Amino acid sequence: MGACLGLVWAIVSSNVAQAQMTDTTPVAQVEQTPAAADPQPPKATPSDAPAHRWRYALGLKLKTLDLADARTDVALRPVLGVRYGRWRLGHATGDEWLAFSGYRKASNLAYQLRDDERLKVALSLRIQNLQDNSSFDGFSSGKNTLRARVSANYQLNKRWSVGTDMTQDLMDRGDGTTLSVGASYGLPLSERSAISLSGGVEWATADHWATQLRLLPPPTGGWHSGLGSVGLGLSYRYAFTPQWAWFGTVGSSRHLGQVHAVSPSTLSWNGQIGVLYFSR
């Protein structure tokens, strides 16, 4: 919680200082999704419509899986995202990067079944590393599997949205089924920056918990399906220019049920910081 408060204080101080500065040069407005900004973006012309354009994002990020564990390493990873029409591979591109949902898992390949102002429904596939429960990035060692996901997100108003994800291990390598539900609140701080707060709860089958926590002693009576965690995530994103931006996230998860019974700590923390370049 101290990490979250520190991040919030740094964000507020940065934006207060920015508001006091004067600049005679007009600032180009960063493209935002309806979830993260009040004004609606202008309608694209047929030749400039996203459905007929390739978009990509490139960058680098530092990430850690558990800030509270002294054995956790900080890893430097590349960031790559490509989008064409309803198809997306990897990281979010420039037209959607301000949308953030902390309870959602990253996907390697996704197809948007529905994408309107209120409701978004997507199918996705993810190569998952069973060693650290992260998306395949070509660097981490360990056994991998293919995980399918169905996700839905509904925009309640300009600030609030709710969503749900259901995932399944398609290769039946012991990672089972998960179901998560959550809510997100997005607040634009300026035309260049936004902060988002999200929370969610996760349920999973017994084989998922047994695989993800295989290094810990099993609970008395063996694993069974049930709730495993409830968490909060905080994200800050700032655009230097329409092409260059940086982001920082921090998340905390409280263990529940059997996961709490076998975990050495009640809370786990994770975070990442990175720099991105977007095509426009």
Side-chain angles (χ1 to χ4, degrees), residues 5-268:
L5 292 176
L7 181 58
V8 172
W9 176 255
I11 293 166
V12 172
S13 300
S14 174
N15 282 274
V16 169
Q18 178 185 347
Q20 293 174 345
M21 297 177 61
T22 58
D23 189 354
T24 58
T25 303
V27 177
Q29 185 172 10
V30 177
E31 189 175 357
Q32 298 176 341
T33 60
D38 291 337
Q40 297 299 318
K43 294 182 179 179
T45 60
S47 61
D48 194 44
H52 303 287
R53 290 185 58 190
W54 288 93
R55 293 182 181 270
Y56 65 85
L58 300 172
L60 289 172
K61 66 179 180 181
L62 286 170
K63 70 171 186 176
T64 179
L65 294 179
D66 193 346
L67 296 172
D69 190 344
R71 299 169 299 175
T72 300
D73 294 328
V74 176
L76 178 65
R77 292 290 185 263
V79 177
L80 172 64
V82 179
R83 181 170 180 173
Y84 183 78
R86 293 178 179 267
W87 290 95
R88 189 181 77 194
L89 176 66
H91 194 273
T93 51
D95 51 354
E96 57 183 351
W97 78 291
L98 285 175
F100 173 77
S101 296
Y103 60 89
R104 290 177 179 269
K105 297 179 175 65
S107 61
N108 293 131
L109 178 65
Y111 179 77
Q112 202 77 31
L113 287 176
R114 180 167 178 174
D115 188 8
D116 57 34
E117 185 177 346
R118 287 278 187 176
L119 179 63
K120 300 181 187 297
V121 180
L123 298 176
S124 63
L125 291 175
R126 173 191 183 202
I127 302 176
Q128 179 176 321
N129 188 306
L130 296 178
Q131 183 73 23
D132 57 13
N133 198 27
S134 63
S135 291
F136 175 78
D137 56 20
F139 292 87
S140 299
S141 61
K143 187 178 180 181
N144 295 294
T145 190
L146 185 63
R147 177 169 290 279
R149 181 181 73 186
V150 180
S151 62
N153 189 77
Y154 185 75
Q155 196 74 30
L156 298 174
N157 52 41
K158 295 177 180 179
R159 297 284 185 267
W160 287 97
S161 65
V162 294
T164 182
D165 288 342
M166 182 176 181
T167 74
Q168 175 64 45
D169 181 1
L170 295 182
M171 300 180 71
D172 195 24
R173 291 189 170 180
D175 207 30
T177 305
T178 70
L179 176 66
S180 59
V181 293
S184 295
Y185 178 81
L187 177 64
L189 301 176
S190 71
E191 62 183 14
R192 290 191 174 199
S193 61
I195 187 172
S196 300
L197 179 67
S198 60
V201 61
E202 183 177 28
W203 174 95
T205 55
D207 39 355
H208 174 81
W209 298 129
T211 298
Q212 296 305 315
L213 303 174
R214 61 187 176 277
L215 299 180
L216 299 176
T220 304
W223 288 100
H224 59 73
S225 302
L227 294 176
S229 65
V230 58
L232 290 174
L234 179 68
S235 171
Y236 176 71
R237 306 190 176 192
Y238 180 83
F240 303 107
T241 70
Q243 285 78 36
W244 287 96
W246 76 272
F247 69 94
T249 68
V250 62
S252 177
S253 177
R254 179 180 177 84
H255 307 307
L256 302 175
Q258 289 185 309
V259 178
H260 171 68
V262 302
S263 297
S265 60
T266 303
L267 293 175
S268 62

